[in-house]
Structures are given as structure tokens and as C-alpha cells.
């Protein structure tokens, strides 16, 4: 679900009509529309993802807002919003790769510089409710590891980044049935659940952890994650990929 403000791809199209309108931050749904959207999703027990450049505390789930926020590369002045995000159960998907790729100059004060600074501020304040997501398209599908590389380059712990890139993904898309007290109880018996994906939906099959009850997803690298992270997660060093028990890459060769 796309909410506010304008995604840059939408901006690009609007820019054909008016560059002034395209460069403005516009709330694309009214607050009352958002309330209905979010309320309906809550009723159905599904998550709400928002596309937004600027953080506002109304976007946090504790304030009736959304569950995940993609982009969010502007916390505004001061630490108040960052502190609120840190304490919130929202998951932030910073999409660093989009800003890195789309800003080819990467000059001080430019789009990438501001995005990187924003991310570093959050890291310094101890924000860990993060997931890796690409908003892939501005950069090629298959280069998604760039997101992890950039996070580590900006100072994030590599082990933490792997968690954001694996379990974090499932935490973003799973339904409310995995949250709270009831969700914890369901997680507790995950090894014995044996729910059919067709019945519960793909997002209800846990992934991101190698354990009984989780989807059989494994990525193997010949690299050294601890000492040479960027090389280790680069696709040139990925030797094996299995998703949902189906092997897509073996001995470094793609099978599909
Ligand atoms: Zn976007």
C-alpha cells in the first residue's frame, strides 16, 4: 500500500506536467483516508506498509499509524522523532540503495549524503527495528545485496545487518497473528504447526531463520562475512541459493 508522500517514480511522471508540483512533499492520502485504510487492514489482521520520505510520529503504529515504513530518509531536526522510532514497534526499511544509485554525484549535502547521514544518526541512537528492502527497480534486480553492503559501510554491525536482511523481511510481511501474546504462543509451537502455505498464505510461512517450521531458505557464500563483508555477500561469491526448498543456484551456477 502506497501512502505519503509522493514516491519519486510518481514524481518523475508528474514532472512531465509540472516540476514544481513534482518536487513538493505532498500527502497523497488525507488523514481520514489513512485512518480508514489502516483500520480496514487492522480488521483483516494484515500489515500496512507506508512509502514516506519524512518521518512523522503519527506514522508510528502506537499512534494509529503503519507497521513498516519504506524510505524515511528524513528524521527532521533534533532527536525526538528518532527516539520515538527506536521505542516503537514499527520496522524501518531505509532503502539506502535507491538513494545511493539515483544520486550519481554523491556530493556533500546531496541526496545520498543526507540519506547516509540520516541512517548514521539512527544507528548512533541505537535504532535496531530495521529491515533490508530494496525498492528494487532503480537498481537491477539481483543487486539487492547492495543494501547490506551500504548498511555495513555506514557502520552497522554485519551480524545485525544479516538479521535485518533475513528475519527482518518476514517480520515486515507476516500478519498480526504472529504479534503480541497470541503471536508469541504461535511462534512457540512453530516446529509443529505444519500449516499449508495455500491455506494461510505465503507470508504466513515463517522465513529468515534456519530452523524447523521455517521455510527452507539457505544462501551460501565462499566469502568471509566477518573480515570481508562486501565481498562475501556479493553475488559473485554466492555459491548456493535455496528458496522454499527449491535450489536456484548450485556450485556458483544459476539453475533457472
Ligand atoms: Zn519508493
Amino acid at each position: 500500500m502506497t501512502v505519503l508522500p509522493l514516491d519519486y517514480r510518481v514524481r518523475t511522471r508528474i514532472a512531465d506536467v509540472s516540476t514544481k508540483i513534482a518536487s513538493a512533499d505532498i500527502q497523497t492520502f488525507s488523514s481520514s483516508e489513512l485512518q480508514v485504510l489502516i483500520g480496514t487492514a487492522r480488521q483483516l489482521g494484515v500489515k500496512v506498509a507506508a512509502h514516506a520520505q519524512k518521518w512523522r510520529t503519527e506514522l508510528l503504529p502506537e499512534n494509529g499509524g503503519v507497521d513498516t515504513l519504506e524510505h524515511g530518509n528524513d528524521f527532521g531536526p533534533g532527536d525526538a522523532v528518532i527516539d520515538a522510532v527506536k521505542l516503537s514497534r514499527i520496522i524501518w526499511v531505509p532503502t539506502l540503495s535507491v538513494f545511493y544509485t539515483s544520486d550519481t554525484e554523491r556530493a556533500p549535502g546531496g541526496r545520498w549524503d543526507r540519506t547516509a547521514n540520516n541512517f548514521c544518526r539512527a544507528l548512533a541512537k541505537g535504532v535496531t527495528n530495521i529491515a533490508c528492502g530494496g525498492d528494487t527497480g532503480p537498481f537491477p534486480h539481483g543487486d539487492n545485496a547492495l543494501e547490506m553492503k551500504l548498511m555495513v559501510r555506514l557502520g552497522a554491525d554485519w551480524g545485525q545487518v544479516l538479521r535485518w536482511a533475513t528475519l527482518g523481511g518476514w517480520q515486515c510481511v507476516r500478519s498480526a497473528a504472529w504479534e503480541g501474546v497470541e503471536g508469541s504462543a504461535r511462534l512457540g509451537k512453530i516446529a509443529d504447526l505444519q500449516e499449508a502455505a495455500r491455506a494461510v498464505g505465503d507470508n504466513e510461512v515463517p522465513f529468515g531463520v534456519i530452523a524447523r517450521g521455517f521455510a527452507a531458505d539457505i544462501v551460501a557464500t565462499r566469502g568471509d562475512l566477518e573480515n570481508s563483508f562486501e565481498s562475501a555477500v556479493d553475488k559473485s561469491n554466492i555459491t548456493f541459493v535455496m528458496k522454499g526448498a527449491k535450489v536456484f543456484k548450485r556450485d556458483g551456477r544459476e539453475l533457472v
Side-chain angles (χ1 to χ4, degrees), residues 7-9 51 70-71 95 98 135:
D7 184 271
Y8 80 100
R9 282 167 295 192
H51 251 55
E70 285 75 36
H71 301 320
T95 66
V98 175
D135 206 8

Side-chain angles (χ1 to χ4, degrees), residues 230-246:
E230 292 204 21
S231 163
V233 298
D234 192 86
K235 62 185 174 189
S236 62
N237 276 321
I238 300 299
T239 54
F240 180 82
V241 176
M242 181 165 74
K243 172 72 187 156
K246 185 177 178 188

